[in-house]
């Protein structure tokens, strides 16, 4: 995969450079052709303009000065005009001329002399030299031919063409260098992306990042890759934390399960010698077994709840709109049966939230059980619900300052717990349910004694 990415980068760089060179070559070729066409038009136009002006001068002065139409010199000379010739309508050369250097006369020349054809330009070759000739009517019945060598124009055009060709070649060479430099700089983010991908694939470490410069599409690609690496890093970190939490949960659970299992084993062994026990001892042993079984059942239930919440693939209870005050009242009614010596005082404001009823019932029950456990005999637990904030307060020993940071940790038992029953999972489940609902849970001590636990739930969203 890395090789394919690297080859793709190299071939992409080559394609970009090739496209740039091709574009520059086409542009230079087009500019060269356009320049050549313009120069050719101007030089040929200047030659034609000179011939037309000379013809106009001869035509105007011929009546007063007939000798002006005499041949000015052999046509092989470069002087302008090289030669002039008067032709009658019958094709006879009416001016002084050299038979070896006479300009060609044809039917079109006679037609111009007769007035049946317009003046025209033509290219001829005489004595091996190229000439440009202009034929126009001199007067009725005669025409004048003015010719000049055109090879200086051809030589000039060849020089211009060679100069343009050399400039195009030099421009193409520069375009090749600029194209590869441009492709390298333009694909620098892709190269960095390839190297980062190779580092991540080699080291399995997504913390490598690409320095983003600019705001073009490649910079956007680099930012997207950095975002992907951030998400991957967070996912791997969460996975590592989840695995560490699972290992801690297994280790702590095995430690916590060892105590009730040992007690169960001891009491079962004691029942094996039932013939030696008095009826009262048998009853006490049965009661102890029942308590230990209930404790073990509660511990296993709590562990299952924690494990399910930690598993991202586990099916969770669907959320629904519910009356939190009714749910809390039901939980208080159930808790009263478990703690008949504790007084529960309620002050519940009608509150509607969006949540999972079973999970919330478990969290509220754990808060009530925790308050009842730390309350003195016949003590009062105050339950308040106002502004989506559930407050549970007891009048027990309170929460020590050193215990506050860890009261919601798993398997943590505060110093004030003493010999009270419990295995330190109740408040951990409360914190877990709060996190599931986007809520916050806090713990503190009242100024006049006792602990205060508050569950602050978000208000339901209405459209």
């Amino acid at each position: 995969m890395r090789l394919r990415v690297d080859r793709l980068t190299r071939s992409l760089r080559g394609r970009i450079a090739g496209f740039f060179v091709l574009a520059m070559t086409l542009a230079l070729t087009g500019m060269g052709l356009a320049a050549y066409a313009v120069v050719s038009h101007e030089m040929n136009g200047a030659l034609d303009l000179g011939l037309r002006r000379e013809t106009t001068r001869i035509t105007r002065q011929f009546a007063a000065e007939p000798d002006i139409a005499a041949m000015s010199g052999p046509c092989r000379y470069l002087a302008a005009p090289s030669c002039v010739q008067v032709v009658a309508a019958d094709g006879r050369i009416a001016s002084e001329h050299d038979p070896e250097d006479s300009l060609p006369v044809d039917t079109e020349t006679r037609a111009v002399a007769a007035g049946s054809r317009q003046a025209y330009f033509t290219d001829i070759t005489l004595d091996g030299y190229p000439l440009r000739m202009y034929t126009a009517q001199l007067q009725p019945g005669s025409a004048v031919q003015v010719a000049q060598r055109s090879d200086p124009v051809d030589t000039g055009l060849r020089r211009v063409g060679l100069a343009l060709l050399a400039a195009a070649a030099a421009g193409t060479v520069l375009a090749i260098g600029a194209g590869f430099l441009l492709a390298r700089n333009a694909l620098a983010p892709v190269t960095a992306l390839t190297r980062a991908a190779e580092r991540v694939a080699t080291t399995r470490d997504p913390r490598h990042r690409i320095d983003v410069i600019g705001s073009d599409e490649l910079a956007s690609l680099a930012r997207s890759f950095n975002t992907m690496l951030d998400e991957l890093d967070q996912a791997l970190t969460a996975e590592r934390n989840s695995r560490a939490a699972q290992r801690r949960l297994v280790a702590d659970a095995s430690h916590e399960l060892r105590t009730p299992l040992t007690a169960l084993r001891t009491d079962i062994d004691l029942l094996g010698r039932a013939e030696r026990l008095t009826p009262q001892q048998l009853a006490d042993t049965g009661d102890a077994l029942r308590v230990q079984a209930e404790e073990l059942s509660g511990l296993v239930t709590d562990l299952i709840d924690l494990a399910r919440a930690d598993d991202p693939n586990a099916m969770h209870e669907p959320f629904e709109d519910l009356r939190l005050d009714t749910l809390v009242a039901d939980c208080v009614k159930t808790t009263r049966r478990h703690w008949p010596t504790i007084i529960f005082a309620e002050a519940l404001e009608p509150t509607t939230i969006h949540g999972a009823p079973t999970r919330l019932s478990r969290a509220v029950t754990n808060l009530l059980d925790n308050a009842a456990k730390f309350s003195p005999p016949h003590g009062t637990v105050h339950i308040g619900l106002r502004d989506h904030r559930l407050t549970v307060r007891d009048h027990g020993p309170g929460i020590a300052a050193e215990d506050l940071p860890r009261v919601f940790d798993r398997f943590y038992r505060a110093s004030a717990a003493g010999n009270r029953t419990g295995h330190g999972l109740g408040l951990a489940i409360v914190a877990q349910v709060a996190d599931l609902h986007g809520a916050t849970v806090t713990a503190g001590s009242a100024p006049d004694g006792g602990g205060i636990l508050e569950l602050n739930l978000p208000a339901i969203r209405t459209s």
Side-chain angles (χ1 to χ4, degrees):
M1 180 63 184
R2 293 197 301 272
L3 291 177
R4 282 203 295 268
V5 171
D6 195 39
R7 289 172 182 170
L8 176 62
T9 303
R10 287 200 297 267
S11 63
L12 181 59
R13 184 184 298 119
R15 288 201 300 271
I16 292 178
F19 290 150
F20 180 79
V21 171
L22 178 61
M24 289 298 297
T25 301
L26 292 176
L28 291 173
T29 301
M31 293 173 61
L33 292 176
Y36 184 84
V38 170
V39 172
S40 174
H41 179 270
E42 292 297 325
M43 294 183 69
N44 287 317
L47 178 60
D48 292 346
L49 180 61
L51 293 174
R52 189 180 287 112
R53 285 177 176 175
E54 182 66 16
T55 301
T56 301
R57 184 181 69 84
I58 292 173
T59 302
R60 289 177 178 177
Q61 298 180 8
F62 181 76
E65 191 179 352
D67 293 340
I68 198 172
M71 181 175 291
S72 57
C75 293
R76 63 177 178 271
Y77 293 162
L78 289 175
S82 293
C83 51
V84 178
Q85 182 174 279
V86 178
V87 181
D90 57 2
R92 176 178 53 86
I93 299 176
S95 62
E96 181 183 353
H97 64 282
D98 185 351
E100 297 181 357
D101 289 330
S102 298
L103 298 176
V105 178
D106 52 17
T107 56
E108 293 182 348
T109 306
R110 292 194 294 271
V112 171
S116 59
R117 192 188 190 287
Q118 297 293 327
Y120 66 93
F121 288 97
T122 184
D123 294 314
I124 62 174
T125 301
L126 187 65
D127 198 17
Y129 296 104
L131 281 82
R132 181 74 167 169
M133 183 175 69
Y134 181 63
T135 303
Q137 190 177 42
L138 178 63
Q139 58 185 6
S142 64
V144 61
Q145 294 175 310
V146 181
Q148 183 178 341
R149 280 178 55 177
S150 60
D151 49 335
V153 174
D154 296 336
T155 301
L157 288 178
R158 280 196 301 272
R159 290 175 179 174
V160 170
L162 291 175
L164 291 175
L165 183 62
T172 301
V173 173
L174 292 176
I176 292 174
F180 280 100
L181 181 62
L182 175 66
R184 186 183 66 180
N185 293 336
L187 291 179
V190 177
T191 303
L193 178 65
T194 303
R195 292 173 180 171
E198 291 176 348
R199 286 197 301 268
V200 172
T202 302
T203 63
R204 305 291 180 178
D205 184 2
R207 289 176 293 180
H208 298 285
R209 295 294 180 272
I210 301 175
D211 295 331
V212 181
I213 301 175
S215 58
D216 55 6
E217 290 81 358
L218 291 178
S220 177
L221 174 62
R223 281 192 292 270
S224 299
F225 187 77
N226 286 338
T227 301
M228 182 191 69
L229 290 180
D230 289 335
E231 295 294 335
L232 179 59
D233 189 17
Q234 293 176 8
L236 291 178
T237 301
E239 182 180 359
R240 286 193 295 267
N241 293 338
S242 177
R243 289 179 179 176
Q246 289 177 357
R247 286 193 294 268
R248 288 195 303 269
L249 179 61
V250 171
D252 293 339
S254 62
H255 175 75
E256 291 293 328
L257 286 170
R258 189 176 296 115
T259 300
L261 287 175
T262 301
L264 281 173
R265 187 182 299 112
T266 301
D267 289 337
I268 291 172
D269 291 341
L270 185 60
L271 287 178
R273 298 189 295 273
E275 69 278 0
R276 303 180 186 178
L277 301 178
T278 65
Q280 183 60 42
Q281 288 176 329
L282 285 173
D284 294 341
T285 303
D287 293 338
L289 284 172
R290 190 178 301 106
V291 172
Q292 292 158 3
E294 291 178 354
E295 182 181 355
L296 182 61
S297 176
L299 176 58
V300 171
T301 302
D302 289 343
L303 288 174
I304 292 174
D305 287 344
L306 288 172
R308 284 179 177 174
D310 287 340
D311 185 2
N313 298 318
M315 296 296 293
H316 296 294
E317 181 185 4
F319 279 35
E320 61 184 59
D321 293 343
L322 55 92
R323 285 285 298 272
L324 181 60
D325 55 306
T326 303
L327 184 145
V328 173
D330 292 339
C331 293
V332 172
K333 187 183 301 183
T334 302
T335 308
R336 280 197 179 102
R337 292 196 296 268
H338 294 162
W339 301 89
T341 62
I342 302 298
I343 301 172
F344 293 91
E346 309 166 47
L348 307 179
E349 180 182 89
T351 303
T352 302
I353 64 168
H354 191 68
T358 304
R359 303 302 300 275
L360 286 170
S361 296
R362 184 64 185 280
V364 173
T365 300
N366 286 356
L367 288 174
L368 296 175
D369 284 338
N370 181 80
K373 180 173 65 176
F374 286 96
S375 294
H378 306 289
T380 301
V381 174
H382 296 276
I383 305 104
L385 178 59
R386 183 181 179 84
D387 296 332
H388 294 84
R389 182 186 299 272
L390 175 64
T391 304
V392 179
R393 181 197 169 174
D394 62 68
H395 291 273
I399 305 174
E402 63 271 14
D403 293 328
L404 283 175
R406 300 191 58 190
V407 292
F408 297 106
D409 291 350
R410 298 173 182 181
F411 300 105
Y412 181 75
R413 302 185 74 231
S415 56
N419 295 325
R420 293 178 175 88
T421 59
H423 32 264
L425 291 179
L427 294 185
I429 293 177
V430 173
Q432 190 181 72
V433 174
D435 184 65
L436 177 66
H437 288 78
T440 57
V441 59
T442 57
S445 295
D448 55 347
I452 300 178
L453 294 172
E454 290 186 343
L455 179 62
N456 190 8
L457 289 156
I460 187 172
R461 294 182 179 178
T462 57
S463 58

